[in-house]
Amino acid sequence: MKRVRKAVFPVAGLGTRFLPATKAVPKEMLTVVDRPVIQYVVDEAREAGIEHFIFVTGRNKAVIEDHFDIQFELYDTLAQRGKDEQLARLQRLQPSPGQTSFTRQQVPLGLGHAVWCARELVGDEPFALLLPDMIMQSEKSCMKDMVELYEETGNNIIAVQECDPLETHKYGIVGRGEDTHHGFRITEMVEKPKTGTAPSNLYINGRYILQPEIFKILEGQERGAGNEIQLTDAMLKLEKQQPFYGYHYQGRTFDCGSPEGFVEANVAFALWRSDMNQNMAGVIRTLLDELKPSERRGAAF
């Protein structure tokens, strides 16, 4: 069984839901408190023991590559000004030489196509796939637990969480089979099932460990929903050849691909920090008090 050493990050999306903010700044570089969204996802992979970070990019995404490079002028300025703590923090987040690779998707043909674009960089190895819109908050990283489950089973792993049963039509949903190790066997996968037909309320939350055979399937995969090459369609074909296991993640997940989820993540991570939580809690309470109907002089919601 090969170890999971590589992770793929699809970062070619245009971020249209955040316009005009994303007109010149990639949505992955929007900050949650004081770190770009993509940094949280890379840190999660690093905690899981990932050694090689593969970014599938598009046009106007060069700033992501710059973010993970050494900034000599900045580092020198911080050193000269005695900003040792800030400098040390940046250096801790800095990938080592050769740990990052970048490839272009070039045409927006969906998640499955983005994953296929990483095939030469991944090679014949299992790999982690982390969707950068989704950031996690827990004491132990989601991907770290997934890698441990992979080491127990040696097969494909998908992270899932519970959603409101009335909202299963919004997500990719899995069927739950027998428990195994600290996960369970996935019996089926359904993309956005019709209301009342979902096999469970466990939705796929944007974290995967996949075997390299997925690339051969994606190479010949026909376009599906949205006229795009869908990863779920390819996983359904791979599932006929190899088992899939589910990891039931118990932490919080924030969809930073939506403005509401992005704001929620900023609030949650600010409250999670010991140097900010008391001040932010007071600010939030004040804002909530100011929004009470009686305080708004009859203004309509």
Side-chain angles (χ1 to χ4, degrees):
M1 183 176 65
K2 295 182 179 179
R3 193 164 62 88
V4 180
R5 301 186 311 111
K6 299 178 180 181
V8 174
F9 306 90
V11 293
L14 296 176
T16 54
R17 285 188 285 180
F18 283 92
L19 288 171
T22 50
K23 182 180 178 182
V25 178
K27 63 176 180 176
E28 297 84 8
M29 291 301 295
L30 298 178
T31 55
V32 170
V33 187
D34 58 359
R35 281 192 289 171
V37 169
I38 188 62
Q39 185 70 63
Y40 286 91
V41 186
V42 169
D43 289 347
E44 179 186 340
R46 182 186 284 114
E47 184 182 337
I50 298 297
E51 301 170 357
H52 190 176
F53 310 100
I54 301 167
F55 299 86
V56 182
T57 71
R59 287 178 288 279
N60 302 319
K61 299 281 186 168
V63 68
I64 297 177
E65 188 168 353
D66 290 340
H67 175 72
F68 290 102
D69 200 358
I70 294 174
Q71 300 290 336
F72 290 103
E73 296 84 357
L74 174 61
Y75 287 12
D76 183 63
T77 299
L78 291 174
Q80 290 187 31
R81 295 180 179 177
K83 305 284 188 179
D84 297 334
E85 185 176 342
Q86 289 177 303
L87 178 58
R89 185 186 181 198
L90 288 176
Q91 291 173 332
R92 285 196 301 270
L93 297 175
Q94 179 72 51
S96 300
Q99 276 195 310
T100 57
S101 296
F102 297 82
T103 187
R104 288 284 185 102
Q105 186 177 10
Q106 297 177 318
V107 287
L109 291 179
L111 176 60
H113 182 260
V115 172
W116 180 76
C117 289
R119 65 197 182 282
E120 298 295 339
L121 292 168
V122 172
D124 188 25
E125 297 185 37
F127 65 98
L129 171 64
L130 299 92
L131 305 192
D133 282 350
M134 314 299 283
I135 63 174
M136 314 300 206
Q137 187 183 66
S138 56
E139 293 296 334
K140 184 179 180 182
S141 87
C142 177
M143 184 52 65
K144 184 174 178 60
D145 268 337
M146 291 177 67
V147 168
E148 292 176 1
L149 179 57
Y150 165 79
E151 290 172 349
E152 295 169 353
T153 64
N155 283 292
N156 304 280
I157 311 292
I158 299 177
V160 298
Q161 286 181 261
E162 294 177 358
C163 68
D164 186 326
L166 297 177
E167 296 188 345
T168 53
H169 64 282
K170 299 179 180 178
Y171 306 102
I173 302 295
V174 305
R176 179 165 190 154
E178 72 277 6
D179 290 343
T180 177
H181 304 286
H182 66 287
F184 62 91
R185 183 73 178 264
I186 290 177
T187 58
E188 56 183 310
M189 290 177 273
V190 186
E191 186 66 31
K192 298 181 179 179
K194 293 181 179 179
T195 302
T197 66
S200 74
N201 68 329
L202 297 174
Y203 76 95
I204 300 171
N205 70 3
R207 299 292 186 269
Y208 312 78
I209 293 175
L210 298 172
Q211 295 294 328
E213 287 78 9
I214 194 76
F215 294 121
K216 187 64 176 178
I217 296 173
L218 287 169
E219 185 174 347
Q221 181 67 44
E222 297 178 355
R223 299 190 189 190
N227 199 33
E228 296 180 336
I229 298 174
Q230 298 293 337
L231 179 65
T232 302
D233 293 342
M235 290 194 301
L236 286 169
K237 292 181 180 179
L238 183 60
E239 194 268 339
K240 296 177 181 179
Q241 307 168 20
Q242 301 174 354
F244 274 74
Y245 292 87
Y247 165 65
H248 192 171
Y249 176 61
Q250 301 293 330
R252 293 190 180 95
T253 298
F254 304 98
D255 182 3
C256 291
S258 72
E260 297 84 358
F262 177 73
V263 172
E264 182 184 359
N266 269 280
V267 173
F269 276 92
L271 291 174
W272 219 37
R273 284 179 48 160
S274 59
D275 61 331
M276 299 179 68
N277 57 5
Q278 290 188 2
N279 182 56
M280 286 303 304
V283 169
I284 292 168
R285 280 192 290 267
T286 299
L287 290 173
L288 289 172
D289 288 341
E290 291 176 353
L291 287 173
K292 289 180 179 178
S294 60
E295 304 271 336
R296 299 187 62 184
R297 299 178 182 177
F301 283 98

